[in-house]
Amino acid sequence: MTASATRDRICGNVSAPEPTRKPFPMPSDQPETTTDYDFSEQIGHLLRKAYQRHVAIFQRNACDPQLTGVQFVTLCAVRDRGPSSLTQLVQATAVDQATIRGIIERLKARDLITLASDPEDRRKVVVNLTDAGRTLIEDMVPHARRITELTLDGLNPAERLAILFLLRKMNEQEPPE
Amino acid sequence: MTASATRDRICGNVSAPEPTRKPFPMPSDQPETTTDYDFSEQIGHLLRKAYQRHVAIFQRNACDPQLTGVQFVTLCAVRDRGPSSLTQLVQATAVDQATIRGIIERLKARDLITLASDPEDRRKVVVNLTDAGRTLIEDMVPHARRITELTLDGLNPAERLAILFLLRKMNEQEPPE
DNA sequence: GTTAAAATAAGCGTGTACGCTATAAAACTA
DNA sequence: TAGTTTTATAGCGTACACGCTTATTTTAAC
């Protein structure tokens, strides 16, 4: 820290001793210095780490080692909504349109779903569960509960409710334009 | 729920994309049935959506459209720690070892960092900031503050403290074996 | 004490999966 | 016909697992 601070003086951007031009009005009394910005305390960094930890827990605790969290979510969405088009699954799962195609391909390759085209709208690809897919969901759900439990391990019941509430509230907020 | 879901195939389930009305899931009475498992209320799903929203906000608000959040975190880590080996950066950034190489490659290609080999340990690759890299960080930090602000938009000050606290606490917990 | 073998550490290559942007083609709708 | 919706395709970036090479450190033998 001190080493980098000294280096800042030596070869840093010493050329501009504050041209007094602020690109953004700072929301509070945040100083314009860069030294107090700690990336490891930012919401984005914490979210990334939390999600990565969850993914690791999922992989270790899924009853099927090939099944990913997103694949499981997609299977659940098909079960809950019945035969669905890709666009419907995109909305239900919050998986990107370009990404869902790969998911569907892999689930199809494992015969967990079937694909058909809607005779009433020939653009649509209708996704359906196979018996194997339905069985896998049934087998997986207890493991999924455990995965949730393990991900929230370390938080007491009140804190668990709180973080679910706060994440839902964040997600309801639309990303600006 | 299940009965109506299977009837959704009449193509008229347009009621889905309506705003979310979600009661609190009670952790107490969880039967072993699969019908009450709602993937969209699970911590993993909420974390994935929250992080994706943050990434979208980052992309729209970075001063450099090519710079990703992870790349920025890596640059910050080099600035904070001084010349660093890849392994040190892996620990500092929580970016996978195989992934950091791609990050470093792209930062190097843009001349934001330099690579050298440590004469004292010839296994090591030492990463250093260039002047351009240092300048980019300086320019970026105000935007990064705004990105954090926008990601937390919708939460009041107490809630912001709460979610940061809860995510930190979750991340401190080790993923089991 | 020097040296050879074993254990550890750093980094590389490859393969698979997820995520987004941008673009285009096909099918439907007005 | 013009415009919208649905899906397909290409390309880049992030993420992790696996197996591998090379370099350093530790240990054991001598």
Side-chain angles (χ1 to χ4, degrees):
Chain A
M1 295 43 168
T2 2
S4 61
T6 352
R7 209 172 18 260
D8 271 342
R9 242 181 248 110
I10 295 172
C11 62
N13 57 347
V14 237
S15 53
E18 291 309 311
T20 69
R21 184 166 45 85
K22 308 188 177 186
F24 273 106
M26 284 293 104
S28 61
D29 50 341
Q30 300 264 28
E32 278 294 324
T33 63
T34 203
T35 51
D36 69 327
Y37 178 85
D38 183 357
F39 71 83
S40 69
E41 290 298 317
Q42 306 301 310
I43 181 70
H45 187 70
L46 294 173
L47 283 174
R48 183 171 65 83
K49 281 184 67 173
Y51 181 58
Q52 284 179 189
R53 176 171 169 275
H54 165 77
V55 169
I57 291 173
F58 192 102
Q59 291 294 77
R60 289 199 198 89
N61 291 275
C63 59
D64 180 336
Q66 310 307 318
L67 190 72
T68 69
V70 176
Q71 288 175 12
F72 179 58
V73 159
T74 305
L75 288 178
C76 286
V78 177
R79 187 203 55 175
D80 293 345
R81 306 168 61 89
S84 311
S85 71
L86 298 189
T87 302
Q88 284 176 312
L89 288 180
V90 163
Q91 289 160 356
T93 61
V95 172
D96 185 83
Q97 186 272 331
T99 305
I100 201 89
R101 191 185 171 280
I103 315 281
I104 293 299
E105 242 170 39
R106 288 182 278 276
L107 293 177
K108 170 83 173 76
R110 296 186 55 194
D111 286 317
L112 298 171
I113 56 172
T114 59
L115 302 185
S117 69
D118 188 338
E120 306 203 343
D121 186 341
R122 285 180 308 182
R123 295 170 301 180
K124 290 188 180 175
V125 173
V126 179
V127 181
N128 230 322
L129 279 183
T130 63
D131 287 348
R134 203 171 291 273
T135 301
L136 179 55
I137 295 180
E138 296 287 328
D139 294 345
M140 187 59 201
V141 164
H143 294 260
R145 290 198 211 279
R146 173 129 186 83
I147 287 162
T148 290
E149 166 77 19
L150 288 170
T151 303
L152 292 171
D153 195 27
L155 301 189
N156 64 43
E159 290 171 334
R160 296 180 183 202
L161 288 180
I163 198 166
L164 294 178
F165 169 79
L166 291 169
L167 287 173
R168 268 199 305 266
K169 193 168 179 185
M170 270 186 58
N171 289 341
E172 279 167 16
Q173 202 75 18
E174 235 151 290
E177 79 253 42
Chain B
M1 245 328 180
T2 323
S4 64
T6 37
R7 235 183 307 107
D8 267 353
R9 57 179 185 83
I10 54 177
C11 222
N13 54 347
V14 200
S15 58
E18 279 307 301
T20 53
R21 36 150 178 82
K22 291 163 183 169
F24 268 58
M26 292 313 294
S28 48
D29 51 342
Q30 285 194 344
E32 280 297 320
T33 65
T34 205
T35 51
D36 68 327
Y37 178 84
D38 183 357
F39 71 84
S40 69
E41 290 299 317
Q42 305 301 309
I43 181 69
H45 187 70
L46 294 173
L47 283 173
R48 184 171 63 86
K49 281 183 67 174
Y51 181 58
Q52 283 180 190
R53 176 170 169 274
H54 164 77
V55 169
I57 291 173
F58 192 102
Q59 290 294 80
R60 291 200 197 91
N61 291 276
C63 60
D64 179 337
Q66 310 307 319
L67 191 71
T68 69
V70 176
Q71 288 175 12
F72 178 59
V73 159
T74 304
L75 288 177
C76 287
V78 177
R79 186 203 56 175
D80 293 346
R81 306 169 60 89
S84 311
S85 69
L86 297 190
T87 302
Q88 282 177 311
L89 289 179
V90 163
Q91 288 160 356
T93 61
V95 172
D96 185 83
Q97 193 269 337
T99 305
I100 201 98
R101 295 186 327 237
I103 314 281
I104 294 298
E105 236 173 45
R106 290 181 277 275
L107 293 176
K108 171 80 173 77
R110 296 186 54 193
D111 285 318
L112 298 171
I113 57 171
T114 60
L115 302 184
S117 69
D118 189 338
E120 307 203 344
D121 188 340
R122 286 180 308 183
R123 295 171 302 180
K124 291 186 179 175
V125 174
V126 179
V127 180
N128 231 323
L129 280 182
T130 63
D131 286 351
R134 204 171 292 274
T135 300
L136 179 55
I137 294 180
E138 296 288 328
D139 293 345
M140 188 59 202
V141 164
H143 294 258
R145 290 197 211 280
R146 172 124 184 87
I147 287 162
T148 289
E149 165 77 19
L150 288 170
T151 303
L152 292 171
D153 194 28
L155 301 188
N156 65 44
E159 290 170 335
R160 296 179 184 203
L161 288 181
I163 198 166
L164 294 178
F165 168 79
L166 292 169
L167 288 173
R168 267 199 305 268
K169 194 168 178 186
M170 269 185 58
N171 289 340
E172 280 167 17
Q173 203 74 19
E174 242 159 279
E177 80 246 41

